[in-house]
Amino acid sequence: MGNEIEKLQEIIDTYDNIVFFGGAGVSTESGIPDFRSKDGLYNQKYDFPPETILSHTFFMRRPEEFYRFYQDKMLCDTAKPNAAHLKLAELEQAGKLKAVITQNIDNLHQMAGSRKVLELHGSVYRNYCMKCGRFHDFSYMKNAKGVPRCECGGIIKPDVVLYEEGLDNDTIRESVQAISNARVLIIGGTSLAVYPAASLIDYFQGDHLVVINKSPTPRDRYADLLIQGPIGQVFSQIVVKGV
């Protein structure tokens, strides 16, 4: 991996308009399970597939079962930012990185210090009453018994994009703008299997497309630099220098 790391270092040293597009693989090194790996949620046994449980229809029809799974598998408060999160925050502080666009909902980029984070699928740290709109934090949801309810009696819904729901238009617009203006796009820790999020990278027209992932992706053949390995391990070898 040595030559690839050297090339990545050279690209990062040269450019100051870099955008990062990441997925579940960025957080697996922090202990958060992904969906599609051999140890992921899709390969564990539940009464219903995770894709069914995490759908809008299931949430509305069977909120008790939704929250049993959600509190058990989606609310991880022990995870800490890993080398990838920390290096991306450092790159932003150095004026190199302009935005992190993430499919993750775990808030780890913000915990690491990143400020410009575009969350395509929302965040488990934001929750709103469906009746009155009141905000409720992570700990409220984690400690709730059964279906979390607001003081007004309404059911509280996580601000995450469930299956069958559309992405936030403002987040899409900002993401498209960031990718369109980027000179370097680093895709990391994602199989690029989830749409429409994965289609956003089609807007990239810059100089270097970098793909870092443990398994193959549909965009590998278009990459100027392809690194197959854990993204935290890769980023831990990068030295950040100011613009």
Side-chain angles (χ1 to χ4, degrees):
M1 200 186 291
N3 291 337
E4 288 90 348
I5 298 293
E6 288 180 14
K7 188 172 181 184
L8 177 60
Q9 181 74 63
E10 182 182 337
I11 291 172
I12 289 173
D13 289 346
T14 303
Y15 290 87
D16 61 2
N17 190 344
I18 303 169
V19 167
F20 179 80
F21 182 97
V26 180
S27 294
T28 51
E29 290 172 74
S30 294
I32 293 180
D34 66 355
F35 274 69
R36 291 173 174 79
S37 72
K38 65 180 182 179
D39 300 316
L41 295 177
Y42 280 164
N43 294 303
Q44 299 180 24
K45 299 298 182 183
Y46 295 97
D47 292 340
F48 300 89
E51 194 166 26
T52 298
I53 298 173
L54 295 174
S55 68
H56 179 82
T57 298
F58 195 92
F59 172 80
M60 297 301 292
R61 291 179 179 173
R62 310 180 80 149
E64 296 85 0
E65 291 186 60
F66 172 90
Y67 273 111
R68 193 176 303 126
F69 175 89
Y70 181 80
Q71 290 179 312
D72 184 36
K73 293 298 179 183
M74 309 300 288
L75 296 182
C76 178
D77 55 0
T78 58
K80 304 294 183 187
N82 61 52
H85 299 104
L86 295 169
K87 195 66 68 172
L88 288 165
E90 197 178 338
L91 285 167
E92 182 186 44
Q93 290 158 12
K96 291 284 186 180
L97 187 77
K98 300 306 179 189
V100 168
I101 302 168
T102 180
Q103 299 171 79
N104 298 336
I105 58 176
D106 52 41
N107 206 49
L108 289 177
H109 285 293
Q110 290 91 332
M111 291 181 190
S114 290
R115 299 175 67 86
K116 183 66 171 181
V117 182
L118 299 170
E119 296 170 311
L120 294 174
H121 296 151
S123 172
V124 295
Y125 281 75
R126 296 188 301 269
N127 308 274
Y128 299 96
C129 174
M130 297 174 68
K131 186 176 179 181
C132 73
R134 182 177 177 180
F135 171 83
H136 295 268
D137 63 15
F138 181 96
S139 62
Y140 188 93
M141 303 298 282
K142 182 76 173 177
N143 297 316
K145 304 300 181 186
V147 178
R149 290 187 178 272
C150 180
E151 291 178 2
C152 75
I155 293 177
I156 302 167
K157 183 180 182 298
D159 187 17
V160 299
V161 179
L162 302 177
Y163 291 102
E164 305 168 346
E165 294 179 343
L167 304 188
D168 178 73
N169 287 331
D170 289 338
T171 305
I172 293 175
R173 178 181 50 77
E174 285 190 71
S175 299
V176 167
Q177 185 176 17
I179 292 171
S180 299
N181 293 334
R183 302 319 305 160
V184 176
L185 178 62
I186 301 176
I187 299 171
T190 174
S191 60
L192 295 174
V194 177
Y195 283 81
S199 64
L200 295 177
I201 62 178
D202 291 336
Y203 289 94
F204 178 65
Q205 298 178 326
D207 299 335
H208 294 287
L209 177 64
V210 179
V211 176
I212 307 169
N213 200 49
K214 289 198 292 187
S215 57
T217 82
R219 300 300 173 116
D220 289 359
R221 58 186 174 142
Y222 302 108
D224 300 295
L225 175 61
L226 174 63
I227 304 177
Q228 291 191 315
I231 190 164
Q233 181 181 325
V234 170
F235 271 113
S236 67
Q237 301 176 65
I238 295 300
V239 178
V240 178
K241 306 162 189 175
V243 176

